[in-house]
């Protein structure tokens, strides 16, 4: 479902009038719903190392170079340099002082740091993307901004998670008549997403749904 479809699902759950076009979303509650949908979507995507966020990138490290621009748009899971696994260390000083040993890497500001080598190296990076959304052409982005954008959360679960998660935040009142229903449906969708997204049963996500 795209952004407009999710918005209309939220409006239906809230007993508000649905809209036919994105341009009709002019009321304050419309704006709040759009904002909250993006918040819920981002929180779910960043709450766990979901398999659907995994991406792969290639990096070239020039000869006699210790730092390169960090072009990885996310959190690195694996770094393989010329087929050898490199381990992350949180000590940029080792690299800046030229004392870094082989098979490690670090970061500083917007740079990736590597031990110096006389030859060019090729790195393969597996990472969890920061992007939570895709447009109608399949290009990834961080937020839904137009009606044809959609979440990268798998389709069977995105509708339920974003709809009920948004309604919970918008009302934020446990005594509201549909609050318990929304919460149960949200938790059910999250559990189902988890059961199909990881082969490790112990790798359970934790999502904190804050009230506002």
């Amino acid at each position: 479902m795209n952004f407009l479809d999710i918005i209309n699902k939220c409006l239906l759950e809230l007993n508000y009038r649905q809209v036919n076009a994105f341009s009709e979303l002019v009321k304050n509650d419309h704006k709040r719903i759009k904002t909250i949908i993006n918040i819920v979507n981002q929180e779910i995507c960043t709450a766990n190392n979901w398999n659907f966020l995994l991406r792969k990138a290639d990096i070239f490290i020039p000869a006699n170079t210790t730092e390169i621009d960090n072009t990885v748009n996310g959190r690195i899971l694996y770094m393989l340099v010329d087929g050898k696994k490199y381990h992350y260390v949180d000590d940029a000083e080792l690299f800046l002082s030229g004392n870094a040993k082989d098979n490690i890497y670090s970061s500083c500001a917007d740079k990736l740091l590597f031990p110096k080598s006389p030859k060019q190296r090729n790195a393969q990076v597996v990472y969890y993307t920061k992007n939570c959304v895709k447009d109608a052409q399949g290009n990834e982005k961080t937020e839904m901004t137009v009606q044809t954008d959609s979440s990268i959360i798998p389709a069977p679960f995105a509708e339920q998670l974003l709809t009920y998660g948004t309604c919970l935040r918008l009302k934020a009142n446990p005594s509201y008549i549909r609050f318990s229903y929304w919460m149960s449906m949200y938790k059910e969708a999250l559990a189902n997403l988890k059961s199909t997204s990881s082969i490790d049963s112990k790798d359970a996500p934790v999502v904190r749904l804050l009230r506002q």
Side-chain angles (χ1 to χ4, degrees), residues 13 15 171 173-182:
E13 283 293 324
N15 291 320
K171 289 302 182 181
N173 182 1
S175 63
Y176 186 77
I177 189 170
R178 293 183 64 80
F179 192 90
S180 296
Y181 170 74
W182 293 335

Side-chain angles (χ1 to χ4, degrees), residues 186-202:
Y186 177 87
K187 289 181 176 180
E188 176 185 282
L190 186 60
N192 289 336
L193 173 62
K194 176 58 184 176
S195 68
T196 61
S197 296
S198 175
I199 61 173
D200 186 353
S201 62
K202 296 179 181 178

